[in-house]
């Protein structure tokens, strides 16, 4: 159904009201999260929309926390500035990231080693960026946007959602912890890895807890490839894309089933839409989600802004 997959063919498809409360489900996907930055940047300009709740995993969780923190500190303009500063900071710090520090010829060696070996000092520019940009005490006490941040509990592979009131740098780092690159994040004696393994992002919980009339999913990990991968590196990349999309696809199918069985009045009245980065960027499946080069991030941001504009136009029937 193209850019806007409104209600996935099952929920109410009538034209949306111009003024509404919406909730956001933000998928993780490394540097592709700059597409989400662009979507948020455009939505923050839309004064007719009020944000209710945001769920996120990995880069989606980072964007969610930055957005909510910016709103609490400086309103919509403050949120836009905070997102811009963060992505610029991460681009500037890219040369210090563990895997990007390895020459291309040594990248296989880096992947064969544990992060406890190739990153003995546990360098993580994301921690420093979050500490600089987010006042978690203020976020937990003053944010009007409810947050649901997903992480994977290492011990049993189950989902842990960190909600508003209990968020911390470690909670966000846990949500973005790829165990091949970063050390396991421990919180209250439990180890956590990237939330994208089990909920990317949490959608059913968001539907249950949100009071919004609409939910917009921002999907950044490619669902489609033009042809089957052949090389080991291509196969590895595709397996990762499939794995990180599987939780979201499963939750969408569960909501479809619930809607087809009658579900609840809340679910029947809810409007769900989706914007996908791959619909705006033709070769996204071939691009590197670890690429933090500023020109690439800017192109993703611009694509996200365009996708958000298209959604804004289509939701009120003006496209």
């Amino acid at each position: 159904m193209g850019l806007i997959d409104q209600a996935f063919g099952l929920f109410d498809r009538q034209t949306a009201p111009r003024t509404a409360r919406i909730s956001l489900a933000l998928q993780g996907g490394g540097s592709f999260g700059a597409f989400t930055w662009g979507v948020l940047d455009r939505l923050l300009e839309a004064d007719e929309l009020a944000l209710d709740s945001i769920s996120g995993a990995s880069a989606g969780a980072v964007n969610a926390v930055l957005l909510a923190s910016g709103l609490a500190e400086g309103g919509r303009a403050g949120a836009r500035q905070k997102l811009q500063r963060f992505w610029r900071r991460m681009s500037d710090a890219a040369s210090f990231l563990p895997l990007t520090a390895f020459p291309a010829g040594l990248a296989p060696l880096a992947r064969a080693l544990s992060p406890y070996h190739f990153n003995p000092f546990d360098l993580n520019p994301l921690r420093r960026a979050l500490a600089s940009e987010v006042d978690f005490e203020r976020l937990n006490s003053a944010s009007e946007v409810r947050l649901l941040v997903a992480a994977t509990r290492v011990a049993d592979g189950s989902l842990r959602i960190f909600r508003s009131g209990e968020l911390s740098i470690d909670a966000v780092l846990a949500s973005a912890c790829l165990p091949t690159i970063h050390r396991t994040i421990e919180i209250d004696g439990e180890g956590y890895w990237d939330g994208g393994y089990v909920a990317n992002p949490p959608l059913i919980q968001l539907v249950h807890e949100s009071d919004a009339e609409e939910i917009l999913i921002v999907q950044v990990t490619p669902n489609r490839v033009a042809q089957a991968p052949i090389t080991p590196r291509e196969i590895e990349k595709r397996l990762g894309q499939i794995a990180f999309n599987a939780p979201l696809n499963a939750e969408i199918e569960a909501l479809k089933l619930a809607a087809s069985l009658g579900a609840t009045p809340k679910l029947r009245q809810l409007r769900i839409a989706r914007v996908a980065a791959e619909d705006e960027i033709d070769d996204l499946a071939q691009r590197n989600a670890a690429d933090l080069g500023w020109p690439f991030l800017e192109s993703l941001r611009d694509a996200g802004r365009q996708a958000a504009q298209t959604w804004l136009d289509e939701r009120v029937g003006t496209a």
Side-chain angles (χ1 to χ4, degrees):
M1 298 178 68
L3 180 66
I4 181 168
D5 191 5
Q6 198 162 18
F8 312 118
L10 289 169
F11 300 145
D12 189 1
R13 300 168 66 79
Q14 65 184 356
T15 299
R18 187 172 295 273
T19 301
R21 292 185 65 80
I22 68 169
S23 289
L24 304 173
L26 309 181
Q27 192 185 48
S31 63
F32 295 170
F35 174 85
T36 303
W37 161 32
V39 171
L40 300 178
D41 190 64
R42 178 62 188 92
L43 293 181
L44 286 165
E45 295 175 338
D47 292 334
E48 68 273 17
L49 298 179
L51 291 175
D52 181 272
S53 304
I54 309 175
S55 71
S58 200
V62 173
N63 278 319
V65 166
L66 290 166
L67 172 61
S69 176
L71 286 172
E73 295 174 13
R76 291 172 181 253
R80 295 182 66 199
Q81 292 169 3
K82 191 176 289 291
L83 285 160
Q84 165 88 16
R85 283 197 309 269
F86 170 83
W87 284 100
R88 179 82 246 193
R89 180 191 293 268
M90 292 306 296
S91 180
D92 292 342
S95 60
F96 298 100
L97 293 171
L99 286 184
T100 58
F102 281 82
L106 295 182
L109 174 61
R111 288 194 294 269
L113 295 174
S114 160
Y116 294 85
H117 295 136
F118 70 75
N119 187 15
F121 298 107
D122 197 22
L123 300 177
N124 190 343
L126 178 57
R127 179 182 291 276
R128 181 175 296 179
L130 287 171
S132 176
E133 292 293 345
V134 181
D135 180 343
F136 281 92
E137 182 176 354
R138 182 171 185 174
L139 176 67
N140 283 316
S141 62
S143 176
E144 296 182 359
V145 178
R146 287 177 289 182
L147 297 174
L148 295 81
V149 170
T152 301
R153 186 180 287 110
V154 178
D156 57 9
S158 63
L159 170 65
R160 166 72 189 274
I161 294 182
F162 295 93
R163 292 175 169 80
S164 298
E166 59 177 349
L167 293 172
S168 65
I169 289 180
D170 280 342
V172 181
L173 291 176
S175 184
C177 178
L178 290 172
T180 56
I181 299 176
H182 300 295
R183 297 185 183 188
T184 298
I185 300 297
E186 290 195 7
I187 300 175
D188 297 330
E190 287 279 2
Y192 293 96
W193 287 344
D194 197 297
Y197 294 119
V198 291
N200 196 18
L203 181 57
I204 292 176
Q205 289 89 347
L206 181 67
V207 168
H208 177 68
E209 298 182 25
S210 169
D211 294 324
E213 299 93 347
E214 300 179 64
I215 290 178
L216 177 63
I217 301 168
V218 183
Q219 185 169 7
V220 300
T221 300
N223 254 331
R224 308 182 300 269
V225 292
Q227 57 188 19
I230 297 175
T231 69
R233 186 171 183 177
E234 291 172 343
I235 293 170
E236 180 183 11
K237 178 187 287 188
R238 185 57 186 152
L239 285 171
Q241 292 168 350
I242 292 171
F244 269 69
N245 271 324
L248 176 59
N249 291 334
E251 292 199 48
I252 288 172
E253 291 303 316
L255 288 172
K256 285 183 180 181
L257 178 60
S260 69
L261 295 175
T264 64
K266 176 181 178 179
L267 190 57
R268 290 196 300 270
Q269 295 168 9
L270 185 66
R271 294 169 54 85
I272 300 181
R274 170 170 51 181
V275 294
E278 65 183 350
D279 290 333
E280 294 290 323
I281 304 169
D282 291 336
D283 63 342
L284 187 64
Q286 283 71 53
R287 300 304 296 264
N288 182 5
D291 181 359
L292 286 166
W294 187 242
F296 182 49
L297 297 185
E298 284 188 307
S299 69
L300 287 165
R301 177 204 60 196
D302 293 345
R305 282 186 57 86
Q306 180 56 54
Q309 183 62 59
T310 301
W311 176 71
L312 288 168
D313 290 340
E314 291 190 0
R315 69 179 289 277
V316 293
T318 60

